[in-house]
PDB file of all heavy atoms in Angstrom:
ATOM      1  N   PRO Z  15      62.082 114.084 100.638  1.00  0.00           N
ATOM      2  CA  PRO Z  15      62.293 115.365 101.307  1.00  0.00           C
ATOM      3  C   PRO Z  15      61.679 115.335 102.713  1.00  0.00           C
ATOM      4  O   PRO Z  15      60.597 114.787 102.907  1.00  0.00           O
ATOM      5  CB  PRO Z  15      61.572 116.385 100.406  1.00  0.00           C
ATOM      6  CG  PRO Z  15      60.914 115.625  99.321  1.00  0.00           C
ATOM      7  CD  PRO Z  15      61.244 114.177  99.439  1.00  0.00           C
ATOM      8  N   GLY Z  16      62.401 115.885 103.659  1.00  0.00           N
ATOM      9  CA  GLY Z  16      61.868 115.960 105.022  1.00  0.00           C
ATOM     10  C   GLY Z  16      62.113 114.720 105.869  1.00  0.00           C
ATOM     11  O   GLY Z  16      61.762 114.681 107.033  1.00  0.00           O
ATOM     12  N   ALA Z  17      62.721 113.658 105.276  1.00  0.00           N
ATOM     13  CA  ALA Z  17      62.974 112.444 106.066  1.00  0.00           C
ATOM     14  C   ALA Z  17      64.109 112.682 107.064  1.00  0.00           C
ATOM     15  O   ALA Z  17      64.949 113.562 106.861  1.00  0.00           O
ATOM     16  CB  ALA Z  17      63.332 111.284 105.133  1.00  0.00           C
ATOM     17  N   ASP Z  18      64.133 111.895 108.122  1.00  0.00           N
ATOM     18  CA  ASP Z  18      65.137 112.062 109.166  1.00  0.00           C
ATOM     19  C   ASP Z  18      66.438 111.368 108.779  1.00  0.00           C
ATOM     20  O   ASP Z  18      66.655 110.207 109.079  1.00  0.00           O
ATOM     21  CB  ASP Z  18      64.591 111.490 110.480  1.00  0.00           C
ATOM     22  CG  ASP Z  18      65.539 111.788 111.634  1.00  0.00           C
ATOM     23  OD1 ASP Z  18      66.518 112.543 111.434  1.00  0.00           O
ATOM     24  OD2 ASP Z  18      65.292 111.256 112.727  1.00  0.00           O
ATOM     25  N   THR Z  19      67.322 112.106 108.115  1.00  0.00           N
ATOM     26  CA  THR Z  19      68.545 111.473 107.601  1.00  0.00           C
ATOM     27  C   THR Z  19      69.598 111.254 108.699  1.00  0.00           C
ATOM     28  O   THR Z  19      70.608 110.613 108.448  1.00  0.00           O
ATOM     29  CB  THR Z  19      69.160 112.312 106.459  1.00  0.00           C
ATOM     30  OG1 THR Z  19      69.308 113.654 106.920  1.00  0.00           O
ATOM     31  CG2 THR Z  19      68.263 112.303 105.235  1.00  0.00           C
ATOM     32  N   LYS Z  20      69.335 111.814 109.891  1.00  0.00           N
ATOM     33  CA  LYS Z  20      70.269 111.563 111.003  1.00  0.00           C
ATOM     34  C   LYS Z  20      70.426 110.055 111.241  1.00  0.00           C
ATOM     35  O   LYS Z  20      71.488 109.576 111.582  1.00  0.00           O
ATOM     36  CB  LYS Z  20      69.728 112.207 112.293  1.00  0.00           C
ATOM     37  CG  LYS Z  20      70.080 113.689 112.429  1.00  0.00           C
ATOM     38  CD  LYS Z  20      70.057 114.152 113.889  1.00  0.00           C
ATOM     39  CE  LYS Z  20      68.735 113.994 114.598  1.00  0.00           C
ATOM     40  NZ  LYS Z  20      67.645 114.883 114.123  1.00  0.00           N
ATOM     41  N   LEU Z  21      69.304 109.321 111.038  1.00  0.00           N
ATOM     42  CA  LEU Z  21      69.339 107.877 111.246  1.00  0.00           C
ATOM     43  C   LEU Z  21      70.316 107.192 110.300  1.00  0.00           C
ATOM     44  O   LEU Z  21      70.960 106.205 110.651  1.00  0.00           O
ATOM     45  CB  LEU Z  21      67.926 107.300 111.064  1.00  0.00           C
ATOM     46  CG  LEU Z  21      66.955 107.600 112.201  1.00  0.00           C
ATOM     47  CD1 LEU Z  21      65.531 107.285 111.797  1.00  0.00           C
ATOM     48  CD2 LEU Z  21      67.339 106.817 113.447  1.00  0.00           C
ATOM     49  N   LEU Z  22      70.420 107.714 109.064  1.00  0.00           N
ATOM     50  CA  LEU Z  22      71.372 107.150 108.115  1.00  0.00           C
ATOM     51  C   LEU Z  22      72.802 107.357 108.619  1.00  0.00           C
ATOM     52  O   LEU Z  22      73.634 106.435 108.571  1.00  0.00           O
ATOM     53  CB  LEU Z  22      71.204 107.804 106.743  1.00  0.00           C
ATOM     54  CG  LEU Z  22      69.961 107.418 105.939  1.00  0.00           C
ATOM     55  CD1 LEU Z  22      69.853 108.263 104.683  1.00  0.00           C
ATOM     56  CD2 LEU Z  22      69.980 105.947 105.589  1.00  0.00           C
ATOM     57  N   ALA Z  23      73.077 108.559 109.097  1.00  0.00           N
ATOM     58  CA  ALA Z  23      74.412 108.856 109.618  1.00  0.00           C
ATOM     59  C   ALA Z  23      74.738 107.948 110.812  1.00  0.00           C
ATOM     60  O   ALA Z  23      75.858 107.434 110.911  1.00  0.00           O
ATOM     61  CB  ALA Z  23      74.501 110.323 110.024  1.00  0.00           C
ATOM     62  N   GLN Z  24      73.733 107.701 111.656  1.00  0.00           N
ATOM     63  CA  GLN Z  24      73.969 106.837 112.829  1.00  0.00           C
ATOM     64  C   GLN Z  24      74.227 105.385 112.426  1.00  0.00           C
ATOM     65  O   GLN Z  24      75.109 104.723 112.972  1.00  0.00           O
ATOM     66  CB  GLN Z  24      72.769 106.899 113.778  1.00  0.00           C
ATOM     67  CG  GLN Z  24      72.702 108.211 114.559  1.00  0.00           C
ATOM     68  CD  GLN Z  24      71.353 108.422 115.222  1.00  0.00           C
ATOM     69  OE1 GLN Z  24      70.541 107.501 115.300  1.00  0.00           O
ATOM     70  NE2 GLN Z  24      71.116 109.651 115.680  1.00  0.00           N
ATOM     71  N   ALA Z  25      73.447 104.918 111.439  1.00  0.00           N
ATOM     72  CA  ALA Z  25      73.637 103.543 110.963  1.00  0.00           C
ATOM     73  C   ALA Z  25      75.037 103.396 110.374  1.00  0.00           C
ATOM     74  O   ALA Z  25      75.727 102.398 110.577  1.00  0.00           O
ATOM     75  CB  ALA Z  25      72.579 103.180 109.926  1.00  0.00           C
ATOM     76  N   PHE Z  26      75.461 104.423 109.629  1.00  0.00           N
ATOM     77  CA  PHE Z  26      76.804 104.397 109.037  1.00  0.00           C
ATOM     78  C   PHE Z  26      77.877 104.329 110.124  1.00  0.00           C
ATOM     79  O   PHE Z  26      78.784 103.505 110.060  1.00  0.00           O
ATOM     80  CB  PHE Z  26      77.031 105.615 108.145  1.00  0.00           C
ATOM     81  CG  PHE Z  26      78.481 105.823 107.818  1.00  0.00           C
ATOM     82  CD1 PHE Z  26      79.144 104.970 106.945  1.00  0.00           C
ATOM     83  CD2 PHE Z  26      79.195 106.864 108.404  1.00  0.00           C
ATOM     84  CE1 PHE Z  26      80.487 105.145 106.660  1.00  0.00           C
ATOM     85  CE2 PHE Z  26      80.542 107.042 108.132  1.00  0.00           C
ATOM     86  CZ  PHE Z  26      81.193 106.176 107.263  1.00  0.00           C
ATOM     87  N   GLU Z  27      77.773 105.214 111.125  1.00  0.00           N
ATOM     88  CA  GLU Z  27      78.799 105.238 112.183  1.00  0.00           C
ATOM     89  C   GLU Z  27      78.923 103.882 112.876  1.00  0.00           C
ATOM     90  O   GLU Z  27      80.027 103.406 113.136  1.00  0.00           O
ATOM     91  CB  GLU Z  27      78.468 106.313 113.222  1.00  0.00           C
ATOM     92  CG  GLU Z  27      78.972 107.693 112.816  1.00  0.00           C
ATOM     93  CD  GLU Z  27      78.235 108.817 113.519  1.00  0.00           C
ATOM     94  OE1 GLU Z  27      77.870 108.619 114.704  1.00  0.00           O
ATOM     95  OE2 GLU Z  27      78.028 109.866 112.887  1.00  0.00           O
ATOM     96  N   PHE Z  28      77.780 103.278 113.131  1.00  0.00           N
ATOM     97  CA  PHE Z  28      77.777 101.969 113.789  1.00  0.00           C
ATOM     98  C   PHE Z  28      78.455 100.907 112.907  1.00  0.00           C
ATOM     99  O   PHE Z  28      79.338 100.174 113.361  1.00  0.00           O
ATOM    100  CB  PHE Z  28      76.337 101.570 114.105  1.00  0.00           C
ATOM    101  CG  PHE Z  28      76.223 100.266 114.833  1.00  0.00           C
ATOM    102  CD1 PHE Z  28      76.640 100.147 116.157  1.00  0.00           C
ATOM    103  CD2 PHE Z  28      75.687  99.147 114.202  1.00  0.00           C
ATOM    104  CE1 PHE Z  28      76.538  98.943 116.836  1.00  0.00           C
ATOM    105  CE2 PHE Z  28      75.586  97.929 114.878  1.00  0.00           C
ATOM    106  CZ  PHE Z  28      76.004  97.836 116.195  1.00  0.00           C
ATOM    107  N   ALA Z  29      78.069 100.877 111.628  1.00  0.00           N
ATOM    108  CA  ALA Z  29      78.652  99.895 110.704  1.00  0.00           C
ATOM    109  C   ALA Z  29      80.145 100.150 110.516  1.00  0.00           C
ATOM    110  O   ALA Z  29      80.958  99.229 110.464  1.00  0.00           O
ATOM    111  CB  ALA Z  29      77.926  99.945 109.355  1.00  0.00           C
TER     112      ALA Z  29
END
Side-chain angles (χ1 to χ4, degrees):
D18 187 7
T19 52
K20 276 203 300 291
L21 286 167
L22 288 173
Q24 286 165 13
F26 165 72
E27 275 158 35
F28 182 70

